[in-house]
Amino acid sequence: MSLLSDKDITYLSGVGPKKAALLKTEIGVTNYEEMLYYFPYRYIDRSKFYKITEIVSSTSYVQVRGRILKITMQGEGRKQRMTAIFSDGESAMELIWFRGIKYLEGKYKEGCEYVVFGKPALFNGHISIVHPEIETINEAKSKLQIGGIQGMYNTTEKMKSGFLTSKALQKIEYEILSSLKDYRIPETLPEHIIKRVGLISLHDALVNIHYPKSFEMLKAAQFRLKLEELFFIQLGIVRTTKIRSKRFKGFLFSQIGHYFNTFYHDHIPFDLTQAQKRVLKEIRADVGSGKQMNRLLQGDVGSGKTLVALMSMLMALDNDFQASMMAPTEILATQHYETISTLLAPLEIGVELLTGSTKKKERERILAALEAGKVQILIGTHALLEDWVQFPRLGMVIIDEQHRFGVAQRAKLWSKSEQPPHVLVMTATPIPRTLAMTLYGDLDVSIIDELPPGRKPIQTIHRYDTKRADLYEFIKSQIALGRQIYIVYPMIQESEKMDYENLDAGYEKLKHVFPESHYSLGIVHGKMKPAEKEAEMQKFVSGATQILVATTVIEVGVNVPNASVMMIESADRFGLSQLHQLRGRVGRGADQSYCILVTQVKLSSESKQRMEVMSRTCDGFEISEVDLKMRGPGDLEGTQQSGVPFNLKIANLVTDGQIVQQARQLAIDILDEDPELLMEKNLLLNLQLNQLAKKKINWGVIS
Ligand code: ADP
Ligand code: MG
C-alpha cells in the first residue's frame, strides 16, 4: 500500500470529481490522510432508543423507533412542506420536511416501522423533528453503527447541497478505513513515548476516532491524538527556546544600586503590594542570573504594572545600561512618560519620549542624546522600532499591553543590540496559564494577583436604553460630586461610516442633555490627528473636561483617578475583554466607581450572558476564561500573529489545559536528554518536526 497522503480522494468509491472538488475547496481535503485527519466534532450515542415521553427541552439528539401513522402535504411550490405523525406506541411527535419534498413523496409509507434520528424541538408541549434522518428498520439493522457511537462531522452549506452531509463524510471515512485491509497506519511517535504516556497506537486512534468501538476507546483515541498534536507544538517551542538561550547570553546585572535604592527608600509614592514585591524579586533573580530574561507579566487593569516596569528599568540603570518602554498608543506612551519622569525627577535621570509625532528637530536631539548615553530611559510607541533608533547600551526593554503588538514587532527589539536585552512584556488581558504556555511558550510568567489597597470594587450594571434619562440624572449627580465621566461608543472598525454617525449623533444629543452653560464635554476618536487627540485627552486628565465622549481609543491604560463613571453605549457590540479594559479606566481612585452597560432591550442570549458576566465579576482572569470559552482562542487579540494555528485539529487550548501541561513536560524531558533529537530512539521525532516545518507550521516564530 502506498502512503495514505499519496492516495487521491477522487478515486475513492462514492466520491468522484465533483465531491472531490468540494472537499478540496471547503475543507482542504485532497487525499486519504487528510480525510482521516478530518475528525468528528461530536458524537452521538446511537445505542440508545428514546421514548418520546423522555424528550425534554434540553435533549440534544434522539433516536426513536416507531411507526409513521399519517403523512400530510401542505402548501405549494417553495412553501410546500410534508408532515408525518410518528408514534412509538405510547405517544407521538411530528416529523417535518421543507426541502426535497419531491424526492421524499411516496418514499415513506403510513403504517411502516422506521428508526428516526434528529434534534427535537419542543413547542407548547408538542415535539417535532425537522429534517430527521430516517431509515427502515432493516436499513438501520444492516448499518454498522447500529447500536454504536456515531461521529458528527462539520459541513458547510455548499457541501450539504453537494450531498456531502455529515453522514456522507462518515461513509467516506468508512470506505478509507475498509480499504486499508491489513495495512497498519505507520506510527508517528516513538515507542518510548507511547509506553511512557500509555497511548494507543496511531492506527487504533484513527480508526476509533471515526468509528469508536466504545466510549473508552473513543476517549483513548482522543487523548492520543490531542497529546500528539500538542506535543509537537511544545517540542518546537521548547527546542527553539533552548537553542536561543544557548546562543545568547543575558546581561548580568550584578548589583542593585543607587537609583533603585534611593527611589525605593525616598521617593516611592506608596508601599508596594505583596504581589508587586514578589514580581520584582522574580525579575531581579532573572537579571542577576546571567541568562537573558523573557518574562510575561500578567496583571489586571489597575494592578500597578507601571511601577514594576519603572523599578525594573532602574535595575538596568544601576548597572550602567539604558532601558526602554514601548506602549501601543501615543496617549499611553505620553502618560507613561509623564508618570515616570515625574516620579524620577528627584533622581535626575535622563528620560525622553519618542513617538510618531515627535518633531524632526526634537527627534534628532533625542537620538543624539541617546547615542551619547545621556538618555537613560526612552519611552515611546512603535517609533522606537525604527532602525535609526540606536541604543549604545540597551539592557532592559519593557513592552506594555503586549497583546497589541505582533510577534514580528517583539522580535524586532531583539535586533536592537548585539546581545539581546532583558525583555519584560506586560499585559492586562490575562490568559489562562496553559494557553500562555503555548502562545508565549518561551516566556516565564509572573502574575500580579492583587490590587493596591483601598480600591472599592467597581459597581457594574446593565441597563436598557429605554432608561437613558435616569442614567443621565445619575451622571449629573456624580458630576455634582466633582467626578468625571467617560461615555464610550463602539467603533468596531475605524473606517465604518455608520459608527461615526452614531458617535456624532450621540455627541450632539449629549450636548443637549449636558448644555455647555453648565457642563464641559470633550470628544476623542481615532480619526482625529494625534495632536488634537492629545490635547483633548489632556483636558480630561487635567479635569477641565467633565465628560469625555470617546471610542475605544481610550481603552488601553489611560489613568484618570478622578473619573468615576464609565458608560458604554451598545455594550453588546464589544467583546468581554474589551469591556473589562474599558471598565478598568474607572475605579482608579478612592471613590466608588460605576460601569454602566447600555444595550437595546432586544439582545441575543450570548450578549445577555456577556452582560451578566460583566455585572457579576471584576476578576480579569475569570472574564478572560469565559471570553475564551465563548469565542475561542483564535479571536484573542494579537493571537493571529502569534504563529500558533488555532485551527488545531483536535486539541483545544482552553479546555485541554492539562494535556498541554503534560505535552510540555514530555517535550522538556526529551530535549533535556537529547537537545538535538539525534538519539536513535528520537529520530522519528526529528523527522516529524521537519515534516511539520515543511507544512509551514513554524513554531520557532513564537517569542
Ligand atoms: P496597570 O497595571 O493597569 O498598568 P497602573 O500601573 O496604571 O496599573 O496603576 C494603577 C494605579 O494604581 C496608578 O494610579 C498607580 O499610581 C496606582 N498604584 C500602583 N501601585 C500602587 C500601590 N502599591 N499602592 C497604591 N497605589 C498604587
Ligand atoms: Mg498599564
Side-chain angles (χ1 to χ4, degrees):
M1 172 127 186
S2 59
L3 284 174
L4 291 175
S5 55
D6 289 341
K7 300 205 103 189
D8 190 334
I9 196 90
T10 317
Y11 309 113
L12 185 72
S13 135
V15 179
K18 267 201 188 136
K19 286 183 184 164
L22 272 177
L23 287 172
K24 182 172 178 188
T25 53
E26 296 298 292
I27 56 173
V29 166
T30 60
N31 60 45
Y32 283 21
E33 182 180 85
E34 287 163 353
M35 193 69 221
L36 280 181
Y37 276 87
Y38 192 71
F39 302 136
Y41 68 96
R42 56 172 292 172
Y43 296 85
I44 288 149
D45 184 1
R46 294 204 66 167
S47 58
K48 179 171 168 66
F49 287 94
Y50 275 79
K51 286 276 165 206
I52 292 171
T53 48
E54 286 179 290
I55 298 172
V56 292
S57 60
S58 60
T59 313
S60 59
Y61 281 85
V62 294
Q63 176 169 254
V64 185
R65 189 176 165 159
R67 284 173 201 282
I68 289 183
L69 300 183
K70 190 170 170 47
I71 296 177
T72 41
M73 291 290 184
Q74 288 162 313
E76 293 282 321
R78 302 191 89 231
K79 290 239 173 89
Q80 203 177 28
R81 69 191 239 163
M82 180 171 112
T83 311
I85 307 292
F86 186 78
S87 162
D88 62 3
E90 287 174 20
S91 49
M93 63 180 175
E94 265 186 343
L95 309 178
I96 303 166
W97 290 266
F98 302 102
R99 275 179 276 131
I101 293 179
K102 243 193 226 136
Y103 161 79
L104 291 169
E105 217 174 340
K107 190 162 181 223
Y108 304 118
K109 308 246 159 28
E110 293 176 359
C112 286
E113 199 176 8
Y114 295 95
V115 172
V116 303
F117 173 79
K119 202 173 163 49
L122 239 76
F123 189 70
N124 279 346
H126 293 287
I127 297 168
S128 60
I129 299 183
V130 176
H131 288 273
E133 279 181 29
I134 173 163
E135 293 172 323
T136 65
I137 275 291
N138 286 335
E139 275 173 332
K141 275 184 186 153
S142 69
K143 280 281 156 59
L144 92 160
Q145 75 268 21
I146 186 82
I149 307 160
Q150 186 181 318
M152 299 283 281
Y153 297 82
N154 271 320
T155 57
T156 63
E157 280 307 315
K158 272 196 191 144
M159 286 166 77
K160 277 188 204 117
S161 46
F163 304 104
L164 281 171
T165 57
S166 169
K167 211 170 163 191
L169 293 180
Q170 194 192 13
K171 175 97 190 324
I172 292 175
E173 303 290 5
Y174 180 75
E175 290 296 335
I176 294 178
L177 291 171
S178 323
S179 78
L180 299 181
K181 299 201 182 79
D182 291 336
Y183 176 79
R184 300 277 302 173
I185 298 167
E187 197 42 72
T188 41
L189 286 174
E191 190 59 31
H192 68 101
I193 292 184
I194 293 190
K195 278 229 178 79
R196 169 173 160 179
V197 190
L199 299 172
I200 62 171
S201 68
L202 179 64
H203 184 94
D204 289 344
L206 287 174
V207 170
N208 279 279
I209 204 75
H210 296 291
Y211 285 93
K213 292 206 173 65
S214 64
F215 278 105
E216 285 74 55
M217 279 309 283
L218 173 59
K219 257 181 110 173
Q222 286 171 323
F223 179 66
R224 146 89 212 208
L225 295 167
K226 284 179 179 183
L227 185 102
E228 173 163 357
E229 189 170 41
L230 295 169
F231 169 69
F232 279 110
I233 294 179
Q234 292 299 335
L235 197 66
I237 295 174
V238 176
R239 187 166 71 163
T240 311
T241 316
K242 275 186 175 277
I243 291 171
R244 205 173 59 192
S245 68
K246 223 170 109 184
R247 194 181 318 151
F248 300 115
K249 278 221 172 64
F251 294 121
L252 179 68
F253 293 178
S254 54
Q255 57 167 346
I256 289 290
H258 164 73
Y259 289 129
F260 189 99
N261 287 328
T262 314
F263 178 76
Y264 185 59
H265 293 297
D266 302 338
H267 305 295
I268 198 165
F270 21 62
D271 293 334
L272 293 173
T273 62
Q274 288 308 317
Q276 283 170 322
K277 280 188 196 160
R278 188 186 62 235
V279 170
L280 278 167
K281 275 191 194 137
E282 287 165 352
I283 293 168
R284 168 77 193 108
D286 281 358
V287 298
S289 72
K291 287 201 198 118
Q292 184 229 359
M293 175 174 81
N294 262 299
R295 191 166 276 281
L296 172 70
L297 172 55
Q298 298 192 359
D300 212 342
V301 282
S303 61
K305 294 186 291 296
T306 317
L307 197 58
V308 171
L310 165 67
M311 294 179 72
S312 306
M313 292 197 284
L314 292 181
M315 292 181 200
L317 269 52
D318 275 337
N319 291 274
D320 284 329
F321 283 97
Q322 293 168 301
S324 171
M325 180 164 180
M326 183 164 81
T329 64
E330 186 124 4
I331 294 175
L332 196 53
T334 309
Q335 199 162 50
H336 281 326
Y337 170 72
E338 276 158 10
T339 310
I340 289 173
S341 53
T342 310
L343 285 172
L344 295 184
L347 295 178
E348 297 186 349
I349 288 173
V351 186
E352 294 287 351
L353 173 70
L354 186 73
T355 70
S357 58
T358 306
K359 296 255 160 43
K360 187 159 176 264
K361 244 185 145 169
E362 173 76 350
R363 193 177 75 200
E364 280 164 1
R365 180 187 67 75
I366 293 173
L367 292 178
L370 185 68
E371 291 200 34
K374 287 197 190 105
V375 173
Q376 291 159 287
I377 295 180
L378 185 60
I379 298 169
T381 55
H382 299 75
L384 295 179
L385 298 175
E386 299 290 345
D387 290 333
W388 30 263
V389 181
Q390 289 295 335
F391 296 82
R393 273 181 77 75
L394 183 59
M396 169 76 72
V397 167
I398 315 275
I399 304 176
D400 194 21
E401 306 298 346
Q402 94 84 31
H403 62 287
R404 288 297 184 100
F405 292 101
V407 172
Q409 289 170 322
R410 271 200 278 152
K412 195 143 188 222
L413 280 166
W414 280 79
S415 55
K416 285 265 155 199
S417 55
E418 195 102 317
Q419 205 176 333
H422 296 295
V423 179
L424 179 69
V425 299
M426 311 200 294
T427 179
T429 308
I431 55 174
R433 226 182 97 71
T434 49
L435 181 57
M437 260 181 210
T438 310
L439 266 185
Y440 316 114
D442 60 343
L443 302 186
D444 295 309
V445 180
S446 287
I447 295 174
I448 303 188
D449 49 6
E450 180 188 0
L451 292 180
R455 297 273 173 83
K456 293 201 180 77
I458 301 159
Q459 275 187 31
T460 305
I461 50 174
H462 171 210
R463 288 285 181 273
Y464 295 127
D465 52 8
T466 47
K467 287 274 163 21
R468 219 185 248 117
D470 296 350
L471 295 174
Y472 290 149
E473 284 311 308
F474 173 71
I475 286 176
K476 284 180 181 171
S477 71
Q478 284 286 305
I479 294 176
L481 291 171
R483 311 280 145 71
Q484 288 166 282
I485 317 292
Y486 292 104
I487 300 181
V488 174
Y489 285 83
M491 186 71 58
I492 306 307
Q493 291 222 297
E494 295 286 344
S495 57
E496 264 180 39
K497 202 167 147 244
M498 213 183 76
D499 281 338
Y500 275 103
E501 281 166 9
N502 284 341
L503 177 72
D504 286 341
Y507 188 52
E508 286 310 312
K509 224 175 70 194
L510 287 168
K511 281 204 285 201
H512 270 286
V513 184
F514 302 96
E516 229 174 319
S517 49
H518 291 75
Y519 300 93
S520 55
L521 273 71
I523 185 166
V524 286
H525 56 73
K527 265 198 188 159
M528 288 162 74
K529 292 216 178 71
E532 270 178 278
K533 225 169 23 186
E534 198 55 45
E536 278 295 340
M537 273 314 296
Q538 213 42 57
K539 274 202 267 176
F540 190 68
V541 173
S542 72
T545 302
Q546 291 167 314
I547 302 176
L548 186 64
V549 180
T551 62
T552 49
V553 294
I554 57 137
E555 180 191 330
V556 210
V558 178
N559 191 26
V560 181
N562 190 46
S564 69
V565 179
M566 166 63 65
M567 175 163 158
I568 305 173
E569 290 283 351
S570 306
D572 52 308
R573 292 185 58 195
F574 295 89
L576 269 179
S577 309
Q578 232 178 354
L579 289 174
H580 182 63
Q581 286 279 324
L582 283 169
R583 177 168 60 184
R585 298 309 105 220
V586 295
R588 305 190 142 238
D591 307 318
Q592 177 62 56
S593 294
Y594 305 88
C595 173
I596 307 170
L597 308 169
V598 184
T599 70
Q600 296 186 331
V601 179
K602 242 179 97 178
L603 268 190
S604 72
S605 64
E606 201 198 300
S607 299
K608 263 196 202 126
Q609 206 186 330
R610 282 209 303 267
M611 299 306 125
E612 275 162 22
V613 173
M614 285 298 295
S615 309
R616 185 182 74 228
T617 180
C618 279
D619 179 342
F621 274 92
E622 189 179 342
I623 286 170
S624 99
E625 296 244 359
V626 176
D627 198 27
L628 281 169
K629 284 195 178 131
M630 286 174 78
R631 298 196 304 165
D635 284 329
L636 219 86
E637 265 178 296
T639 53
Q640 280 84 349
Q641 313 105 303
S642 69
V644 174
F646 281 96
N647 51 353
L648 288 174
K649 285 199 159 36
I650 187 161
N652 177 322
L653 291 177
V654 181
T655 50
D656 294 325
Q658 271 210 306
I659 310 180
V660 175
Q661 218 144 356
Q662 201 173 349
R664 185 172 178 85
Q665 195 54 53
L666 191 62
I668 291 172
D669 291 350
I670 287 170
L671 289 165
D672 276 348
E673 185 190 38
D674 183 11
E676 318 263 339
L677 298 177
L678 293 175
M679 288 182 170
E680 172 84 37
K681 64 174 184 179
N682 290 329
L683 285 184
L684 192 53
L685 295 178
N686 216 327
L687 203 80
Q688 281 295 113
L689 264 192
N690 290 341
Q691 209 125 50
L692 288 173
K694 253 190 244 143
K695 286 180 189 162
K696 289 227 170 51
I697 304 175
N698 182 9
W699 310 117
V701 300
I702 311 163
S703 70

